[in-house]
Amino acid sequence: MSLADKINNNVKKMKSNEIVEFNLKIADIPGLISLTYGEPDFATPRHIKDAAIKAIEDDESHYTDPRGIKPLRVNAVKFLKDKYGLDYDPDTQITTTVGLAEGIHDVFTTILNPGDEVIIPTPTYPLYAANVKFNQATPVFIDTSDNNFILTPERLEQAFKEHPNAKAIIINYPNNPVGNTYTKKELVALANVIRQHEIFLISDEIYSELTYDEPHTSFGKLLPDQTIVMNGASKTFAMTGWRIGIVCGPADIISKINAVHTLINTNATDNAQFAASEAFKNGENDGLEMKKTYVKRRKLLRDGLDKAGFTSPEPSGGFYIFAKIPAQFEQDSYKFGYQLAKEALVGIMPGAIFGPGGDGYVRFSYAASTEDLTEVVNRIQKFVDEHK
């Protein structure tokens, strides 16, 4: 027996982040245009970068309060209140994590015991199920692909009947990978079901500023006593690499989430926190300007895909298109993804990565330049024509 055989049994069963793994496998293909990652191609706004530079020059390079520096917590809470009507105490109801990936891990590690069940509507971000399994709990998937990728109250109620002891439900909206979101009416209907059950509602709202049809409504407003809201700076302010996530909710729960956080990271990077504080304080319109460009890119890419035979629901949020693979191609989304990368030099994400209901689809990110998207449309049309 080698030492590797003696490692944590949960880690033995773990897979690496499948999004990262697939991207690495195709990244070195010469000439590839990659629409794989959900990463804004915009530069971080100037006023945010200046705040970071000032923090560095002021020697802000030390340990901070694990919850995050006070200005960041105050400004983030005010941003959430001004935008979505949320009411959190900056001292007791928010903590700052090293990106929302850490936040997801902290939340599930805090609330789950071995054998617990977590309801997860799919397709959705794969790190949820991975973290549930890591904590020796069981994901309960609800495949929404037969209802235009929308979870209905009826389907949710059925899941509660079949799994009466479920500990939590996680809902991600605007959704990654589909790019859809929920109207206020739809959210109220879901909230009316959830409030009848003693269950954690984890609401991942990282794309909250990227909604196209109506303003974002937060579950934290509808069910404040049950909801853990996850958000951050990455998508709204084009700050993915700065790694600033925020987790908000009832004080007694946040205190325990923060305790888990301190076991993983003493604190998020000091100067990055000052940058995020500036973003939440004075960047209330930063995401809106980016959104105008995303709307144009969405039309460009979706029109091109539709012409080439890829059908998809129109995205109402985020910056993804979740497209059905045309019938003449291999419906295994991994195989198709490799084929598209090698032959058309276009990188996408296989839908199977995102759980039940995802296979047969592929995810395109239109958080890319107009020039790249135009070339992608041309390459895909040529690829389809060659395979007719």
Side-chain angles (χ1 to χ4, degrees), residues 121-123 142-152 155 172-183 186 213 302 311-317 321-324 356-358 361:
T122 62
I142 305 178
D143 181 353
T144 64
S145 60
D146 61 351
N147 190 51
N148 207 32
F149 304 103
I150 291 291
L151 176 65
T152 64
R155 184 73 66 84
N172 161 230
Y173 71 104
N175 175 270
N176 174 11
V178 178
N180 62 353
T181 193
Y182 290 88
T183 66
E186 290 169 332
D213 299 325
R302 190 161 182 264
T311 58
S312 62
E314 182 172 19
S316 53
I321 291 174
F322 202 58
K324 187 75 178 72
Y361 292 82

Side-chain angles (χ1 to χ4, degrees), residues 229-343:
V229 172
M230 300 193 296
N231 212 311
S234 292
K235 315 300 183 179
T236 296
F237 306 110
M239 294 177 67
T240 52
W242 298 78
R243 310 312 299 141
I244 298 292
I246 56 173
V247 181
C248 304
D252 54 346
I253 299 170
I254 293 299
S255 68
K256 298 303 182 184
I257 293 171
N258 190 59
V260 173
H261 160 65
T262 61
L263 296 177
I264 299 171
N265 290 289
T266 304
N267 56 266
T269 302
D270 188 2
N271 44 64
Q273 291 187 55
F274 281 87
S277 178
E278 166 65 21
F280 284 117
K281 182 178 182 180
N282 295 313
E284 66 275 6
N285 294 321
D286 288 348
L288 300 179
E289 291 304 311
M290 297 178 199
K291 184 164 66 173
K292 293 177 183 178
T293 302
Y294 288 138
V295 170
K296 296 176 183 177
R297 293 174 177 177
R298 175 184 64 168
K299 178 174 174 53
L300 168 62
L301 181 57
R302 190 161 182 264
D303 285 353
L305 290 174
D306 185 65
K307 183 179 178 183
F310 291 77
T311 58
S312 62
E314 182 172 19
S316 53
F319 38 60
Y320 303 110
I321 291 174
F322 202 58
K324 187 75 178 72
I325 300 170
Q328 71 262 37
F329 292 102
E330 169 67 66
Q331 293 299 296
D332 181 310
S333 59
Y334 276 99
K335 292 181 179 179
F336 180 78
Y338 287 125
Q339 182 183 13
L340 193 67
K342 293 174 182 177
E343 296 183 23

Side-chain angles (χ1 to χ4, degrees), residues 12 17 20 27 46 49 76 113 146 149 161 167 185-186 218 222 224 234 258 303 306 312 325 333-334 348:
K12 286 181 184 178
N17 185 324
V20 174
R46 181 75 255 173
K49 291 191 285 188
N113 290 310
D146 61 351
F149 304 103
K161 288 179 181 178
K167 173 71 73 70
K185 181 179 179 181
E186 290 169 332
S218 175
L222 302 177
S234 292
N258 190 59
D303 285 353
D306 185 65
S312 62
I325 300 170
S333 59
Y334 276 99
I348 49 79

